[in-house]
Amino acid sequence: MRKFLERAIKKIPRMNNTQLSQLLMSFKDELVLKDMVMDSLTQGLLVSDKEDRIVYTNKALERLLPLHNGDHTDLLVWSVIKQSDVFQFVKETLYGHETVRDRIFMVNRDNRTIVLSISITPLVNKGQIHGNVILVADVTDAKEKEIKLKRAENLASLTTMAAGVAHEIKNPLGSMSIHIQLMNKLLNRDEFDRDKFENFLGIISDEVDRLNSIVVDYLFAVRPMNVELVESNINKTIEELIDFTKFELEESNISIELDLDNSINNIYIDSKFIKQAFLNIIKNAKQAMKNGGILKIRTVQEDNMVQVSIADNGIGMTTETQNKIFEPHFTTKETGSGLGLTLVYKIIKEHKGDISVVSQKGEGTVFNFIFPGIPGRDKVLLDWE
């Protein structure tokens, strides 16, 4: 269309009235087609100029976003938006010349609440910014399906964990019951054996501590986490954790190799939870290197994401074990609740991150973590031609 217009404009001085009329009709047909296409979109679309004034909106935008009535052309983008949180988001984003994708908002339309995803991207032609494009999508159905799936997964996980806890609790309760019976027998004897009694009492105390540990781990796994995300440099978090664990690792003949990328972006994390997750991985690595070894921790920037890897050269895992390690109460150890890596998985997911493991029996294990970058730090330009 653009090339056709450029050629037509050059020919205008040589056109007669009939040809000019035909050219105008062609323009009209193209504009009608464009409006039909734009108004047929299920996504809302708003185009603004460099002064943040509205150039174009389609019908879907007016249907999805709560807007003030009237003609919106040439008005400041945010001035036509009724809902305060959307108003503030659009204004701050356009003022800051940021690119933001898929920001979620709850909006009341036609007496029901819908979930909107709003993206703001620069409008670019031949490397020059001419304004902004705002896309608005109704993601209500997708979010409802996501919530239902998460509920089903949580219920299944809770059922599995409850069964595991019941199994774990049964052993210390059985031991306590046996030793209480033995203590009763001692009390009924003519000669009281104080040493045996105190020994049985100590065993019961240990089992109570074991029960308490099981319950604490279980509650931590099932309760919602109060994650407080703060913009942080994850290298600093790792260095603080290594300072805390260095002596214990060195006592076990484990050397530490840090390869931290100093150019990585800050990300949103809760340092205390990230330290807990990484500490669980380091403890597992220590147990996998009973005769000593090397613990390697690496950070690297991948596009707008930060990747952390924690590797050991310990005993490694089979493929079957790798497929089960994040399941509640799965463990290859003689003792332990089997919730350590489940908690790690939960912490990383609370940070909108991802975790994976690569391991080979006899050669070691690598845990890889991916954390999302801060929205707007990754500039994306939309070339509109």
Side-chain angles (χ1 to χ4, degrees):
M1 178 62 182
R2 187 181 64 183
K3 292 181 179 178
F4 169 74
L5 286 174
E6 290 172 352
R7 289 197 301 269
I9 290 170
K10 291 178 182 178
K11 293 180 180 179
I12 284 178
R14 301 194 299 273
M15 289 183 178
N16 56 36
N17 290 342
T18 301
Q19 291 172 324
L20 285 171
S21 177
Q22 290 174 345
L23 179 61
L24 289 173
M25 288 301 296
S26 296
F27 288 167
K28 178 187 174 184
D29 291 342
E30 288 291 341
L31 289 173
V32 169
L33 177 62
K34 183 209 74 169
D35 285 339
M36 287 172 58
V37 171
M38 295 301 182
D39 288 338
S40 297
L41 294 175
T42 56
Q43 282 188 322
L45 174 68
L46 183 150
V47 180
S48 68
D49 61 19
K50 287 190 287 188
E51 282 73 42
D52 298 327
R53 296 188 178 275
I54 297 173
V55 175
Y56 176 83
T57 59
N58 69 348
K59 288 183 178 179
L61 183 89
E62 298 169 9
R63 186 178 70 253
L64 295 172
L65 267 185
L67 305 176
H68 294 293
N69 295 328
D71 183 10
H72 302 139
T73 306
D74 292 331
L75 297 178
L76 289 170
V77 175
W78 53 85
S79 70
V80 305
I81 301 172
K82 285 184 179 180
Q83 189 163 309
S84 60
D85 57 341
V86 182
F87 170 99
Q88 199 65 31
F89 160 69
V90 171
K91 185 177 181 180
E92 290 177 359
T93 303
L94 292 178
Y95 266 12
H97 305 290
E98 296 181 44
T99 295
V100 178
R101 288 166 289 184
D102 299 323
R103 186 67 60 85
I104 299 297
F105 292 92
M106 309 292 285
V107 173
N108 196 302
R109 300 296 285 165
D110 300 325
N111 296 320
R112 76 183 188 99
T113 300
I114 62 173
V115 185
L116 298 182
S117 169
I118 301 179
S119 301
I120 301 179
T121 311
L123 176 66
V124 177
N125 183 23
K126 296 181 179 177
Q128 298 293 317
I129 296 178
H130 292 268
N132 287 280
V133 175
I134 299 178
L135 292 174
V136 181
D138 184 350
V139 294
T140 307
D141 291 343
K143 283 294 177 183
E144 286 178 353
K145 289 178 182 177
E146 182 181 320
I147 290 169
K148 288 179 181 178
L149 179 61
K150 190 171 184 179
R151 283 175 182 165
E153 289 175 347
N154 286 344
L155 183 59
S157 177
L158 187 62
T159 303
T160 303
M161 291 182 70
V165 168
H167 176 75
E168 290 292 323
I169 285 176
K170 189 167 63 175
N171 292 332
L173 285 178
S175 174
M176 290 167 67
S177 176
I178 290 170
H179 286 89
I180 288 172
Q181 291 175 39
L182 293 172
M183 291 168 72
N184 277 328
K185 289 180 180 180
L186 286 176
L187 290 172
N188 291 326
R189 289 180 180 176
D190 294 336
E191 294 183 10
F192 178 66
D193 191 332
R194 186 180 184 85
D195 290 340
K196 275 190 177 181
F197 191 88
E198 288 182 351
N199 180 51
F200 294 157
L201 194 61
I203 292 172
I204 290 174
S205 177
D206 290 342
E207 295 297 352
V208 169
D209 289 341
R210 184 177 164 194
L211 277 174
N212 183 64
S213 176
I214 292 169
V215 172
V216 168
D217 285 348
Y218 176 73
L219 290 176
F220 186 71
V222 298
R223 281 178 176 170
M225 288 183 178
N226 185 24
V227 177
E228 297 179 2
L229 300 179
V230 177
E231 182 175 342
S232 310
N233 188 301
I234 203 166
N235 285 347
K236 183 180 177 183
T237 301
I238 292 170
E239 288 168 345
E240 291 173 354
L241 178 60
I242 291 303
D243 285 342
F244 175 73
T245 58
K246 183 185 297 184
F247 178 76
E248 184 180 347
L249 292 172
E250 288 176 349
E251 284 288 295
S252 300
N253 295 318
I254 296 173
S255 59
I256 306 161
E257 294 183 5
L258 295 182
D259 180 13
L260 307 181
D261 182 355
N262 292 324
S263 66
I264 61 172
N265 292 339
N266 287 351
I267 55 176
Y268 287 131
I269 59 172
D270 186 320
S271 289
K272 67 178 182 296
F273 280 117
I274 292 299
K275 285 179 182 177
Q276 181 62 57
F278 289 172
L279 180 60
N280 283 3
I281 299 297
I282 291 172
K283 284 181 176 178
N284 284 352
K286 176 175 171 286
Q287 291 172 353
M289 297 185 287
K290 293 188 182 296
N291 298 320
I294 302 172
L295 180 74
K296 298 180 180 179
I297 303 179
R298 180 173 180 263
T299 61
V300 65
Q301 183 82 28
E302 293 284 350
D303 296 326
N304 194 36
M305 297 179 292
V306 170
Q307 180 174 325
V308 179
S309 64
I310 302 178
D312 67 65
N313 60 346
I315 59 175
M317 292 181 278
T318 64
T319 302
E320 183 181 1
T321 299
Q322 291 177 59
N323 292 335
K324 294 181 178 180
I325 56 172
F326 298 116
E327 294 179 6
H329 295 291
F330 175 80
T331 181
T332 57
K333 305 169 189 173
E334 292 182 2
T335 59
S337 65
L339 289 174
L341 289 176
T342 302
L343 299 180
V344 172
Y345 184 85
K346 182 177 180 180
I347 290 170
I348 301 306
K349 288 302 177 182
E350 288 288 335
H351 285 74
K352 309 299 182 187
D354 200 7
I355 179 174
S356 60
V357 60
V358 178
S359 184
Q360 192 165 342
K361 194 70 176 173
E363 294 190 10
T365 300
V366 182
F367 281 90
N368 292 305
F369 305 85
I370 296 177
F371 298 93
I374 297 176
R377 300 290 169 88
D378 183 21
K379 296 288 186 182
V380 176
L381 302 181
L382 178 61
D383 200 348
W384 188 281
E385 295 187 1

